[in-house]
Amino acid sequence: MPIKVQSDLPAKKILEDENIFVMDEKRALSQDIRPLKIAILNLMPLKEDTEVQLLRSLSNTPLQLDITFLTTSSYVGKNTATSHLDTFYLTYEDVKNKKYDGLIITGAPVETMEFEDVAYWEELTQIMEWSKTNVTSTLHICWGAQAGLYYHYHIRKLDLSEKLSGVYLHQVRNRREPLVRGFDDWFYAPHSRYTEMSREDIENSGRFKILAESKEAGLFLLMAEEGKNIFVLGHPEYDRVTLDKEYKRDLNKGINPDIPVNYYPEDDSERRPSLMWRAHANTLYTNWVNYYVYQNTPFEW
């Protein structure tokens, strides 16, 4: 799929080296079609890594996507150069009067905090409220999913006894939904978190379809309002070495983490991690773009 990004975005060169077609602004202007406008609110600390992961996952449909990266103005992290943010990112104030076909809200390493204690919570709630009227479908990822479930539907999160980290087996629960079209009965996906959502609250609300879950990792894929809001409680966009980097970062901090489950061959952290989730991750993002964005968005906002 042609993904339209700024010509000098560093992720563009990485994806082109992987033989993924990324279209710059100049070429996009020569095509007489309306691209789907997708905003990505990137809350992850290593923003450039997340840019590559998400653009890679969005690259498997023939539709043209015009990508806008968003960041928070109320909190600026220390892991991404200010020059990169100034060049390639907008804030809520820049887009609050615009309409988008799709919005992705990423995870963030703040799940042990109360939502209201997160530095940018008020700004995030503004964006989630804005999405009700200005976005066709919103895809929430990991902590972004927890935040969306809490803000929109008052679903509480629960602390886990230890960090959930690894690649877990999941089962599809509702084959009638196009979001899981093309999935096998069982599939793998990465998780990396200290909290989970209350399944009891999800079921009692009567507002969600549970599309996939894991015996070990719990809920994975939820949908509300016929796809207006979709929640992914893991990290299918992670690349091969993301969990490896997180595990070794925590080791260096003296946290003494458990080795990620079902990730390294024979649990040997010196060996190349196994990649077992890419095909289903790509299918998930393709289905979201096709069935919940493209087929539901108005031709003109």
Side-chain angles (χ1 to χ4, degrees):
M1 169 188 73
I3 301 173
K4 180 191 168 194
V5 296
Q6 289 177 252
S7 302
D8 50 351
L9 180 73
K12 180 174 181 287
K13 177 64 167 61
I14 296 172
L15 294 168
E16 287 174 338
D17 288 344
E18 296 180 14
N19 202 31
I20 293 173
F21 180 26
V22 183
M23 181 179 294
D24 61 28
E25 298 161 299
K26 184 180 296 185
R27 181 167 180 182
L29 289 172
S30 69
Q31 295 193 329
D32 189 21
I33 60 175
R34 181 177 97 69
L36 294 174
K37 294 186 178 295
I38 306 293
I40 298 175
L41 177 59
N42 189 352
L43 302 174
M44 292 292 278
L46 301 177
K47 297 195 185 310
E48 295 183 59
D49 287 355
T50 303
E51 291 162 13
V52 172
Q53 292 166 11
L54 287 174
L55 292 178
R56 182 190 290 125
S57 294
L58 290 167
S59 67
N60 294 281
T61 161
L63 302 168
Q64 185 186 132
L65 304 188
D66 185 353
I67 304 296
T68 298
F69 287 106
L70 303 178
T71 189
T72 55
S73 59
S74 49
Y75 175 80
V76 179
K78 301 176 181 178
N79 295 287
T80 303
T82 302
S83 59
H84 184 85
L85 296 175
D86 290 343
T87 302
F88 301 112
Y89 280 73
L90 301 177
T91 66
Y92 170 66
E93 287 297 317
D94 298 315
V95 303
K96 64 182 182 181
N97 295 319
K98 297 182 179 181
K99 306 282 189 179
Y100 285 85
D101 303 300
L103 169 67
I104 295 174
I105 300 177
T106 75
V110 294
E111 70 266 28
T112 58
M113 300 173 63
E114 295 297 326
F115 290 113
E116 291 84 359
D117 293 336
V118 174
Y120 47 80
W121 178 249
E122 183 176 348
E123 185 177 3
L124 178 56
T125 61
Q126 284 183 312
I127 294 170
M128 289 191 290
E129 187 64 27
W130 164 84
S131 73
K132 292 179 180 180
T133 54
N134 289 53
V135 176
T136 299
S137 177
T138 301
L139 183 70
H140 309 71
I141 303 171
C142 203
W143 182 82
Q146 295 184 349
L149 287 166
Y150 178 72
Y151 177 75
H152 291 297
Y153 308 104
H154 312 293
I155 305 295
R156 58 198 172 98
K157 65 177 180 176
L158 305 172
D159 293 333
L160 295 169
S161 58
E162 57 188 15
K163 184 177 183 180
L164 184 77
S165 176
V167 182
Y168 296 88
L169 188 63
H170 300 74
Q171 185 174 16
V172 173
R173 291 298 189 194
N174 192 326
R175 284 212 159 273
R176 291 185 177 275
E177 280 302 326
L179 192 62
V180 291
R181 186 167 292 171
F183 275 51
D184 296 325
D185 291 340
W186 299 86
F187 65 95
Y188 287 97
H191 289 261
S192 178
R193 50 187 165 85
Y194 289 91
T195 54
E196 65 180 356
M197 302 309 290
S198 167
R199 182 185 175 86
E200 182 181 4
D201 289 352
I202 292 290
E203 291 180 326
N204 289 343
S205 73
R207 304 182 69 174
F208 300 94
K209 291 182 180 179
I210 299 175
L211 303 185
E213 62 183 328
S214 164
K215 291 181 180 179
E216 297 79 19
L219 296 169
F220 176 70
L221 190 57
L222 309 173
M223 190 179 79
E225 301 174 59
E226 300 303 316
K228 172 72 174 175
N229 284 310
I230 292 170
F231 304 93
V232 184
L233 291 159
H235 280 290
E237 80 285 355
Y238 269 13
D239 62 28
R240 182 191 300 271
V241 297
T242 308
L243 288 174
D244 176 66
K245 290 178 180 178
E246 293 181 351
Y247 172 66
K248 291 173 180 174
R249 175 203 63 200
D250 289 349
L251 280 177
N252 291 333
K253 288 182 177 180
I255 296 176
N256 194 29
D258 290 337
I259 197 165
V261 172
N262 200 29
Y263 181 54
Y264 298 109
E266 299 179 352
D267 286 342
D268 182 353
S269 62
E270 297 305 312
R271 295 179 63 181
R272 180 177 170 85
S274 301
L275 180 61
M276 301 181 289
W277 61 91
R278 177 67 57 77
H280 283 87
N282 290 344
T283 301
L284 172 63
Y285 282 92
T286 298
N287 287 348
W288 173 64
V289 170
N290 184 19
Y291 297 114
Y292 301 90
V293 180
Y294 174 65
Q295 295 194 25
N296 288 324
T297 199
F299 182 77
E300 292 183 2
W301 271 105

